[in-house]
Amino acid sequence: MGKTEHNQSFVFGVSVSDYNFIGREDEIRQLRMNFEEGINTILISPRRWGKTSLVKRVCQEVDKEKVITVFIDIFKCKTEYEFYNALTEAVLKQTASKAELWMENARDFIARLTPKISVSPEPNSEFALSLGISPKTHTPEEILQLVETIAERKGKRIVVCIDEFQQIGEMPDSVSIQKRLRSVWQHQKMVSYCLFGSKKHTMMNVFQKRNMPLYQFGDFKFLGKIPTEKWTTYIVSHFADRNRVISEGLAARICAAVDNHSSYVQQLSWLIFSLIDEGESVEERHLAMGVDSLLNSQEQLFMQQIEPLTAYQMNFLRCIIDGNHDNFGETEIRETYNLGSVSNITRLKTALVEKDLAEMNGRRLYITDPVFAMWFKRNA
């Protein structure tokens, strides 16, 4: 059996809570207020910066007497009705018990369906629900209004938290879908939404372009990095909890190595932790060994990311990783890195941003993943 999360020194690759949750006090307070007051929230940050952990933490802390939270990850949804099925199943499962499911909350809605429910013999276990919603059974408006109906009947506010919301922006006929969402959601009195995702380019297109249906739909937040001093305290104390020692200086070096990227800080800390035994101290060589191990663990993924790139795109990556973040059209930069014509620069920028390898920060372009940048510099 694996350790419970509470006993794990460092956790990465999954959402974290309690012992492994760090910082975000201001963000928790602001999001909790939005949830309890019915303010829609848009949350954006790079992948694995802790959005999911933050939202789940806020879901735990809201006043349960007033607010019901529904959490759904739509990463696997590729079409409009896949989204509607996933949304409805999440809403029904997380607002009703197995017994209540067949009562008035959902009876009107599911009367036209033959839903399949799988129930575990364990008394407190979750139940699986499969609905089979299609254009023949329900209109989009009916589906989207269900959660408001449930909120009214329960007399509680409902907050629907939708992870990987950029999938909506990448669906066929996406703008029409967004129009349908806005047309229903903007009139709901008892339901608000927390929409978050990691593809900054797509999320910005959906919520920040004036001509898009969901423009300024809610309180717009970028999730920043957790400061080094908070990470340092966290790392030192987690080593100490298991009778191991790391200096504040080396803990800060862990953060610097991965540019304070939350998941990578946890992963690199774990890799270094695993190199020493109880009663031992982390040394400089352990940091280097941990970085090597981290790069090796990501190599297959990074190889897949660069495999389809053109020679110009690879050259452009080298240019950015070498510290050039703007002025790419200058003759010296174009010739040094063989970037082609000035007009080619625009195409290169667009390609790398759409592939989520680079992101714009103001007018400057940066590599999205600090460990990818480290690996690319060493190997590509």
Side-chain angles (χ1 to χ4, degrees), residues 59-72:
C59 288
Q60 290 174 349
E61 295 199 4
V62 293
D63 185 346
K64 300 293 194 299
E65 294 299 312
K66 299 177 181 176
V67 179
I68 300 170
T69 55
V70 173
F71 188 96
I72 173 177

PDB file of all heavy atoms in Angstrom, residues 59-72:
ATOM      1  N   CYS A  59     -13.076  25.152  -2.380  1.00  0.00           N
ATOM      2  CA  CYS A  59     -14.311  24.357  -2.295  1.00  0.00           C
ATOM      3  C   CYS A  59     -14.497  23.764  -0.899  1.00  0.00           C
ATOM      4  O   CYS A  59     -15.624  23.646  -0.405  1.00  0.00           O
ATOM      5  CB  CYS A  59     -14.303  23.240  -3.343  1.00  0.00           C
ATOM      6  SG  CYS A  59     -14.527  23.809  -5.044  1.00  0.00           S
ATOM      7  N   GLN A  60     -13.387  23.401  -0.251  1.00  0.00           N
ATOM      8  CA  GLN A  60     -13.451  22.841   1.109  1.00  0.00           C
ATOM      9  C   GLN A  60     -13.810  23.915   2.135  1.00  0.00           C
ATOM     10  O   GLN A  60     -14.448  23.628   3.147  1.00  0.00           O
ATOM     11  CB  GLN A  60     -12.095  22.230   1.506  1.00  0.00           C
ATOM     12  CG  GLN A  60     -11.725  20.955   0.765  1.00  0.00           C
ATOM     13  CD  GLN A  60     -10.310  20.493   1.120  1.00  0.00           C
ATOM     14  OE1 GLN A  60      -9.544  21.214   1.748  1.00  0.00           O
ATOM     15  NE2 GLN A  60      -9.960  19.294   0.703  1.00  0.00           N
ATOM     16  N   GLU A  61     -13.388  25.154   1.877  1.00  0.00           N
ATOM     17  CA  GLU A  61     -13.466  26.202   2.904  1.00  0.00           C
ATOM     18  C   GLU A  61     -14.725  27.061   2.847  1.00  0.00           C
ATOM     19  O   GLU A  61     -15.001  27.801   3.781  1.00  0.00           O
ATOM     20  CB  GLU A  61     -12.217  27.095   2.825  1.00  0.00           C
ATOM     21  CG  GLU A  61     -10.934  26.352   3.180  1.00  0.00           C
ATOM     22  CD  GLU A  61      -9.793  27.282   3.546  1.00  0.00           C
ATOM     23  OE1 GLU A  61     -10.021  28.512   3.604  1.00  0.00           O
ATOM     24  OE2 GLU A  61      -8.692  26.780   3.796  1.00  0.00           O
ATOM     25  N   VAL A  62     -15.485  26.979   1.736  1.00  0.00           N
ATOM     26  CA  VAL A  62     -16.684  27.825   1.664  1.00  0.00           C
ATOM     27  C   VAL A  62     -17.716  27.392   2.699  1.00  0.00           C
ATOM     28  O   VAL A  62     -17.687  26.267   3.196  1.00  0.00           O
ATOM     29  CB  VAL A  62     -17.334  27.791   0.252  1.00  0.00           C
ATOM     30  CG1 VAL A  62     -16.445  28.449  -0.774  1.00  0.00           C
ATOM     31  CG2 VAL A  62     -17.697  26.372  -0.155  1.00  0.00           C
ATOM     32  N   ASP A  63     -18.618  28.294   3.003  1.00  0.00           N
ATOM     33  CA  ASP A  63     -19.694  28.022   3.964  1.00  0.00           C
ATOM     34  C   ASP A  63     -20.676  27.014   3.363  1.00  0.00           C
ATOM     35  O   ASP A  63     -21.470  27.340   2.483  1.00  0.00           O
ATOM     36  CB  ASP A  63     -20.421  29.332   4.289  1.00  0.00           C
ATOM     37  CG  ASP A  63     -21.479  29.153   5.368  1.00  0.00           C
ATOM     38  OD1 ASP A  63     -21.834  27.990   5.676  1.00  0.00           O
ATOM     39  OD2 ASP A  63     -21.965  30.176   5.885  1.00  0.00           O
ATOM     40  N   LYS A  64     -20.607  25.773   3.846  1.00  0.00           N
ATOM     41  CA  LYS A  64     -21.419  24.684   3.268  1.00  0.00           C
ATOM     42  C   LYS A  64     -22.915  24.868   3.524  1.00  0.00           C
ATOM     43  O   LYS A  64     -23.740  24.250   2.860  1.00  0.00           O
ATOM     44  CB  LYS A  64     -20.971  23.329   3.847  1.00  0.00           C
ATOM     45  CG  LYS A  64     -19.509  22.961   3.587  1.00  0.00           C
ATOM     46  CD  LYS A  64     -19.243  22.710   2.116  1.00  0.00           C
ATOM     47  CE  LYS A  64     -17.905  22.023   1.882  1.00  0.00           C
ATOM     48  NZ  LYS A  64     -16.739  22.780   2.332  1.00  0.00           N
ATOM     49  N   GLU A  65     -23.263  25.721   4.496  1.00  0.00           N
ATOM     50  CA  GLU A  65     -24.677  25.998   4.753  1.00  0.00           C
ATOM     51  C   GLU A  65     -25.296  26.835   3.640  1.00  0.00           C
ATOM     52  O   GLU A  65     -26.496  26.798   3.411  1.00  0.00           O
ATOM     53  CB  GLU A  65     -24.827  26.733   6.092  1.00  0.00           C
ATOM     54  CG  GLU A  65     -24.448  25.901   7.306  1.00  0.00           C
ATOM     55  CD  GLU A  65     -25.320  24.660   7.446  1.00  0.00           C
ATOM     56  OE1 GLU A  65     -26.558  24.807   7.342  1.00  0.00           O
ATOM     57  OE2 GLU A  65     -24.762  23.560   7.627  1.00  0.00           O
ATOM     58  N   LYS A  66     -24.436  27.590   2.950  1.00  0.00           N
ATOM     59  CA  LYS A  66     -24.931  28.505   1.918  1.00  0.00           C
ATOM     60  C   LYS A  66     -24.565  28.082   0.503  1.00  0.00           C
ATOM     61  O   LYS A  66     -25.256  28.435  -0.448  1.00  0.00           O
ATOM     62  CB  LYS A  66     -24.374  29.917   2.162  1.00  0.00           C
ATOM     63  CG  LYS A  66     -24.781  30.539   3.487  1.00  0.00           C
ATOM     64  CD  LYS A  66     -24.118  31.897   3.655  1.00  0.00           C
ATOM     65  CE  LYS A  66     -24.487  32.527   4.996  1.00  0.00           C
ATOM     66  NZ  LYS A  66     -23.769  33.816   5.206  1.00  0.00           N
ATOM     67  N   VAL A  67     -23.462  27.363   0.364  1.00  0.00           N
ATOM     68  CA  VAL A  67     -22.899  27.115  -0.968  1.00  0.00           C
ATOM     69  C   VAL A  67     -22.626  25.627  -1.196  1.00  0.00           C
ATOM     70  O   VAL A  67     -22.048  24.955  -0.347  1.00  0.00           O
ATOM     71  CB  VAL A  67     -21.576  27.904  -1.157  1.00  0.00           C
ATOM     72  CG1 VAL A  67     -20.970  27.625  -2.535  1.00  0.00           C
ATOM     73  CG2 VAL A  67     -21.805  29.398  -0.975  1.00  0.00           C
ATOM     74  N   ILE A  68     -23.038  25.134  -2.349  1.00  0.00           N
ATOM     75  CA  ILE A  68     -22.653  23.802  -2.823  1.00  0.00           C
ATOM     76  C   ILE A  68     -21.659  24.009  -3.959  1.00  0.00           C
ATOM     77  O   ILE A  68     -21.896  24.825  -4.854  1.00  0.00           O
ATOM     78  CB  ILE A  68     -23.862  23.012  -3.363  1.00  0.00           C
ATOM     79  CG1 ILE A  68     -24.921  22.834  -2.281  1.00  0.00           C
ATOM     80  CG2 ILE A  68     -23.432  21.662  -3.927  1.00  0.00           C
ATOM     81  CD1 ILE A  68     -26.236  22.266  -2.817  1.00  0.00           C
ATOM     82  N   THR A  69     -20.535  23.294  -3.931  1.00  0.00           N
ATOM     83  CA  THR A  69     -19.565  23.413  -5.022  1.00  0.00           C
ATOM     84  C   THR A  69     -19.596  22.138  -5.870  1.00  0.00           C
ATOM     85  O   THR A  69     -19.750  21.033  -5.357  1.00  0.00           O
ATOM     86  CB  THR A  69     -18.139  23.641  -4.497  1.00  0.00           C
ATOM     87  OG1 THR A  69     -17.790  22.595  -3.584  1.00  0.00           O
ATOM     88  CG2 THR A  69     -18.029  24.984  -3.804  1.00  0.00           C
ATOM     89  N   VAL A  70     -19.462  22.328  -7.163  1.00  0.00           N
ATOM     90  CA  VAL A  70     -19.391  21.217  -8.115  1.00  0.00           C
ATOM     91  C   VAL A  70     -18.077  21.359  -8.867  1.00  0.00           C
ATOM     92  O   VAL A  70     -17.772  22.439  -9.391  1.00  0.00           O
ATOM     93  CB  VAL A  70     -20.565  21.249  -9.112  1.00  0.00           C
ATOM     94  CG1 VAL A  70     -20.381  20.193 -10.203  1.00  0.00           C
ATOM     95  CG2 VAL A  70     -21.886  21.052  -8.380  1.00  0.00           C
ATOM     96  N   PHE A  71     -17.283  20.294  -8.910  1.00  0.00           N
ATOM     97  CA  PHE A  71     -15.984  20.341  -9.575  1.00  0.00           C
ATOM     98  C   PHE A  71     -15.994  19.377 -10.755  1.00  0.00           C
ATOM     99  O   PHE A  71     -16.401  18.226 -10.637  1.00  0.00           O
ATOM    100  CB  PHE A  71     -14.869  19.940  -8.600  1.00  0.00           C
ATOM    101  CG  PHE A  71     -13.484  20.145  -9.148  1.00  0.00           C
ATOM    102  CD1 PHE A  71     -12.777  21.294  -8.855  1.00  0.00           C
ATOM    103  CD2 PHE A  71     -12.895  19.200  -9.975  1.00  0.00           C
ATOM    104  CE1 PHE A  71     -11.501  21.499  -9.379  1.00  0.00           C
ATOM    105  CE2 PHE A  71     -11.632  19.395 -10.504  1.00  0.00           C
ATOM    106  CZ  PHE A  71     -10.934  20.546 -10.194  1.00  0.00           C
ATOM    107  N   ILE A  72     -15.512  19.849 -11.920  1.00  0.00           N
ATOM    108  CA  ILE A  72     -15.479  19.013 -13.115  1.00  0.00           C
ATOM    109  C   ILE A  72     -14.242  19.338 -13.944  1.00  0.00           C
ATOM    110  O   ILE A  72     -13.892  20.505 -14.122  1.00  0.00           O
ATOM    111  CB  ILE A  72     -16.761  19.196 -13.956  1.00  0.00           C
ATOM    112  CG1 ILE A  72     -16.647  18.468 -15.288  1.00  0.00           C
ATOM    113  CG2 ILE A  72     -17.084  20.656 -14.175  1.00  0.00           C
ATOM    114  CD1 ILE A  72     -17.890  18.545 -16.139  1.00  0.00           C
TER     115      ILE A  72
END
